[in-house]
């Protein structure tokens, strides 16, 4: 029997997230594209409804549509062929765009101030690696809300952190002082141990130095791969927080 158009059959997770995601990405690209087509159809069907009732029902419907949109965004993101470099880059661009869309949607819908916590690269205006990440979440958010968005970047000189190692296992890593020629090496040489600087109002000499792209740690999910990129801090963020030493978070027992 064929699957009806827009049917959620096969879309609902029946395992834990890690197992589901790995199995999803192991599916043939044609199947992933077909699943994304169905999530799009399901979203369109839901958007076409006209909920009755009062304010509570309207609010429930609004959130149901947003949740369906997030499911469709995930399926669409997984419909790219990550084995092709250009497709991988487009997938990353799409990912940052929808992260920005969802953040701004939340702020506009709730009317609340929002603290967005993410990797330096995602909250930045400038991309550290155009071939891998064509445009970042911070740039998309700034397009939508302008100066109402404040990008805060973090740097550190030395310390420990958690990341996935080459074998895929979550591991605690410790690194020593930053290398010569890096942004962190100079930032750690000032007379303050830990400090925050507003890059928008820094003195001209400091802004000229901050405008130059220098090797900078950019540690994400995995380590040591892709751990250092040339970064212009001035073009990337509005505010910078520099810490002399960091300590890895304690992990909860599973």
């Amino acid at each position: 029997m064929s699957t009806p158009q827009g049917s959620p059959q096969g879309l609902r997770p029946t395992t834990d997230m890690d197992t589901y995601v790995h199995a999803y990405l192991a599916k043939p690209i044609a199947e992933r594209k077909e699943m994304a087509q169905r999530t799009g159809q399901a979203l369109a069907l839901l958007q076409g409804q006209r909920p009755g009732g009062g304010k509570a029902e309207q609010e429930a419907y609004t959130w149901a549509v947003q949740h369906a949109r997030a499911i469709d965004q995930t399926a669409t993101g997984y419909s790219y062929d990550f084995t092709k470099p250009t497709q991988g880059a487009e997938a990353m661009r799409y990912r940052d765009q929808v992260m920005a869309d969802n953040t701004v949607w939340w702020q506009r819908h709730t009317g609340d101030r929002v603290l967005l916590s993410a990797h330096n690269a995602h909250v930045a205006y400038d991309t550290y690696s155009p071939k891998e990440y064509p445009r970042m979440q911070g740039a998309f958010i700034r397009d939508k809300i302008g100066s109402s968005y404040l990008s805060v970047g973090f740097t550190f000189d030395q310390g420990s952190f958690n990341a996935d190692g080459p074998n895929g296992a979550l591991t605690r890593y410790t690194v020593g002082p930053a290398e010569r020629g890096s942004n962190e090496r100079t930032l750690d040489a000032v007379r303050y141990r830990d400090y925050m600087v507003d890059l928008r109002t820094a003195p001209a000499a400091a802004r000229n130095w901050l405008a130059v792209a220098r090797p900078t740690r950019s540690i994400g999910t995995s380590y040591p791969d892709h751990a250092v990129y040339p970064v212009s801090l001035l073009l990337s963020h509005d505010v910078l927080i520099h810490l002399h030493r960091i300590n890895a978070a304690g992990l909860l027992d599973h």
Side-chain angles (χ1 to χ4, degrees):
M1 179 181 294
S2 61
T3 302
Q5 279 199 331
S7 168
Q9 182 178 339
L11 298 176
R12 183 188 297 274
T14 57
T15 62
D16 62 86
M17 184 187 73
D18 188 63
T19 302
Y20 180 78
V21 170
H22 280 84
Y24 198 116
L25 291 175
K27 295 178 184 295
I29 187 65
E31 185 175 349
R32 301 206 308 263
K33 287 182 178 294
E34 188 272 337
M35 292 174 77
Q37 182 180 24
R38 286 195 286 131
T39 60
Q41 291 169 345
L43 173 61
L45 287 172
L46 186 58
Q47 289 175 317
Q49 303 302 306
R50 292 295 177 264
K55 184 176 181 180
E57 288 76 10
Q58 291 285 342
E59 180 72 358
Y61 170 74
T62 297
W63 279 103
V65 171
Q66 179 62 10
H67 292 157
R69 183 178 294 115
I71 292 171
D72 180 52
Q73 289 167 346
T74 301
T76 300
Y78 285 159
S79 70
Y80 287 89
D81 187 348
F82 297 101
T83 64
K84 299 178 179 179
T86 56
Q87 283 274 292
E90 280 303 305
M92 293 301 101
R93 187 184 192 281
Y94 175 77
R95 178 190 179 199
D96 274 75
Q97 180 179 345
V98 298
M99 288 194 297
D101 290 344
N102 292 339
T103 300
V104 174
W105 181 91
W106 181 285
Q107 191 279 324
R108 288 174 173 169
H109 182 72
T110 64
D112 296 331
R113 298 180 69 180
V114 174
L115 173 62
L116 168 65
S117 179
H119 188 280
N120 273 354
H122 289 302
V123 301
Y125 299 123
D126 196 34
T127 174
Y128 299 175
S129 179
K131 289 185 178 180
E132 296 174 288
Y133 306 100
R135 202 155 195 264
M136 308 314 299
Q137 181 182 11
F140 284 115
I141 294 178
R142 183 172 60 177
D143 286 348
K144 291 178 175 293
I145 63 176
S147 60
S148 294
Y149 174 65
L150 185 78
S151 175
V152 180
F154 289 85
T155 56
F156 72 96
D157 179 60
Q158 57 189 282
S160 59
F161 52 88
N162 299 310
D164 289 340
N167 62 353
L170 189 61
T171 305
R172 180 188 179 103
Y173 290 96
T174 301
V175 295
E179 298 289 336
R180 291 182 180 276
S182 66
N183 273 322
E184 295 95 338
R185 183 67 172 249
T186 299
L187 292 169
D188 207 62
V190 304
R191 65 179 182 272
Y192 302 107
R193 181 180 175 89
D194 302 317
Y195 60 93
M196 178 178 70
V197 57
D198 190 330
L199 306 183
R200 301 165 298 177
T201 58
R207 287 175 57 83
N208 290 338
W209 183 86
L210 291 161
V212 177
R214 295 182 177 83
T216 309
R217 290 187 180 120
S218 183
I219 300 167
T221 304
S222 60
Y223 185 83
D225 292 338
H226 307 293
V228 176
Y229 285 95
V231 176
S232 166
L233 295 172
L234 186 70
L235 297 180
S236 298
H237 307 290
D238 298 306
V239 172
L240 180 70
I241 296 175
H242 179 77
L243 304 176
H244 172 66
R245 182 182 296 275
I246 62 170
N247 295 300
L251 300 177
L252 297 174
D253 293 331
H254 293 289

